[in-house]
Amino acid sequence: MWDFIQNQILGMKWLNQVIGAGLGALGLDGSNRWVGSIQFFIYDVIKIVVLLCFFIFLISFIQSYFPPERSKRILGRFRGIWANCVAALLGTVTPFCSCSSIPLFMGFTSAGLPLGVTFSFLISSPMVDLGSLLLLTSIFGWRIALAYVLFGLVIAVLGGTLIEKLHMEPYVESFILSATSVDIESPDLTKKERLLYAKEQTLATFKKVFPYILVGVGIGALIHNWIPERWVSAVLGTHNPVGVVLATLIGVPMYADIFGTVPIAEALFAKGAQLGSILSFMMAVTTLSLPSIIMLRKAVKPRLLALFIGICTVGIIIVGYLFNALQPFIV
């Protein structure tokens, strides 16, 4: 039953067969690279868009119960590492990319929440969310998806805790610390209003991420059908001990979210890349993209920014090597 859910409902393998049959009916040879690329592109775009819209609608409905004011109050009730844990978990039901998370991070910091807690939220929000859990399940299975989310939460909690212990508050820009925070009570929404909110969020997020889906699927189709398996294996396979480091460094300059990186990860995995290297690439893209780093620099000073980058990079690399070691047991 679970295999059916993973392959036919989440993975939509039936859709790939339908598209292949349709291309065959048009007289196109499925063994041809160009035809294979077209089939991969059509299948992955439709699959990710359908899953994306469904998951974002569901998650946005959940988000309607956690406006910034309520999230701030929830975080304010906890102390110590428990506050970091709650902040990391709260990040799983908030914005889908780092550039959307940074304004919330700035608001939480201005409101006087502990800096380590707000950084746990900032790390977790783009790296792990409910959408990534279900999308990764559709491709890699529930064990890998769950492990990815758990390791991402660990990085967020430990990273925020370390920043808290180092007392980095002096390295937050003064305008953030001096900003006044107005705590406006969010009105209770009716179920119809929450559904309307979820619909609006779905459309807005879809418009924002769809170009990245097209780019990601295009790169995935290129890798899947044109790049020789031995090339991918040589760079990100078992014979390259620095594959995780390379994957992390390659991911940093890119800007995408989890929905744009999944098709690339899927194609790399099919070509023999190690699991840890793939997931390190995904984490680096979603957490350490250059646009988000530039935005964050406006809120924090270089020393704190460098610490944030260092914590995330080291954590991502460690997680990559752990996944490589665990791959025989979870794949």
Side-chain angles (χ1 to χ4, degrees):
M1 176 62 71
W2 177 252
D3 288 341
F4 176 80
I5 293 173
Q6 179 183 329
N7 295 324
Q8 302 302 330
I9 297 180
L10 295 177
M12 298 186 188
K13 300 299 183 185
W14 59 268
L15 176 63
N16 194 32
Q17 296 171 355
V18 169
I19 294 172
L23 292 174
L26 295 175
L28 300 175
D29 181 7
S31 62
N32 181 275
R33 286 186 178 183
W34 286 105
V35 177
S37 297
I38 293 171
Q39 180 175 345
F40 182 95
F41 186 86
I42 296 173
Y43 162 66
D44 252 33
V45 167
I46 295 175
K47 179 185 73 173
I48 292 176
V49 166
V50 171
L51 293 175
L52 168 75
C53 292
F54 173 77
F55 294 149
I56 291 182
F57 186 89
L58 177 63
I59 295 168
S60 296
F61 184 80
I62 297 172
Q63 283 180 357
S64 69
Y65 290 92
F66 296 94
E69 294 80 15
R70 177 174 293 180
S71 300
K72 185 178 67 179
R73 290 197 300 271
I74 292 173
L75 292 177
R77 295 172 186 168
F78 296 87
R79 295 291 181 271
I81 194 170
W82 291 111
N84 295 92
C85 293
V86 173
L89 289 172
L90 195 61
T92 65
V93 291
T94 46
F96 302 97
C97 68
S98 53
C99 287
S100 301
S101 305
I102 289 173
L104 277 178
F105 157 79
M106 294 167 67
F108 290 157
T109 305
S110 299
L113 291 176
L115 188 62
V117 173
T118 59
F119 265 99
S120 287
F121 168 83
L122 181 62
I123 296 170
S124 168
S125 182
M127 185 183 290
V128 293
D129 55 57
L130 298 179
S132 67
L133 175 62
L134 296 175
L135 271 178
L136 288 170
T137 300
S138 72
I139 295 175
F140 299 113
W142 69 269
R143 292 185 182 86
I144 296 173
L146 185 59
Y148 173 89
V149 172
L150 289 176
F151 279 123
L153 290 174
V154 168
I155 293 175
V157 171
L158 293 182
T161 302
L162 179 59
I163 289 174
E164 187 75 20
K165 297 296 183 183
L166 292 176
H167 302 290
M168 301 299 291
E169 288 80 6
Y171 299 99
V172 177
E173 293 291 352
S174 58
F175 80 92
I176 297 292
L177 296 176
S178 61
T180 57
S181 176
V182 179
D183 191 1
I184 302 174
E185 291 288 339
S186 296
D188 291 331
L189 301 176
T190 65
K191 184 171 289 187
K192 181 178 180 181
E193 289 171 332
R194 295 186 191 281
L195 291 173
L196 180 61
Y197 169 80
K199 176 184 175 182
E200 292 172 349
Q201 288 293 102
T202 301
L203 292 174
T205 305
F206 171 77
K207 291 177 182 178
K208 182 172 65 175
V209 305
F210 186 62
Y212 300 110
I213 292 175
L214 294 179
V215 172
V217 175
I219 295 173
L222 177 67
I223 295 171
H224 191 273
N225 293 281
W226 293 91
I227 296 182
E229 193 170 308
R230 64 181 184 277
W231 290 9
V232 176
S233 181
V235 177
L236 300 178
T238 56
H239 299 296
N240 188 355
V242 296
V244 170
V245 178
L246 290 175
T248 303
L249 295 177
I250 291 171
V252 170
M254 299 181 66
Y255 175 59
D257 52 30
I258 189 71
F259 306 110
T261 58
V262 163
I264 301 175
E266 181 181 12
L268 288 172
F269 191 64
K271 286 291 184 177
Q274 282 192 292
L275 181 62
S277 300
I278 295 171
L279 297 182
S280 290
F281 166 78
M282 294 176 65
M283 285 182 168
V285 171
T286 56
T287 310
L288 295 173
S289 65
L290 285 180
S292 66
I293 296 300
I294 293 171
M295 285 183 64
L296 185 58
R297 171 60 187 91
K298 296 179 180 179
V300 302
K301 297 177 181 178
R303 188 167 181 175
L304 179 53
L305 181 65
L307 179 62
F308 167 76
I309 295 172
I311 289 173
C312 292
T313 302
V314 171
I316 289 169
I317 290 173
I318 291 174
V319 167
Y321 282 112
L322 283 174
F323 266 107
N324 282 349
L326 294 173
Q327 183 168 342
F329 306 102
I330 59 178
V331 176

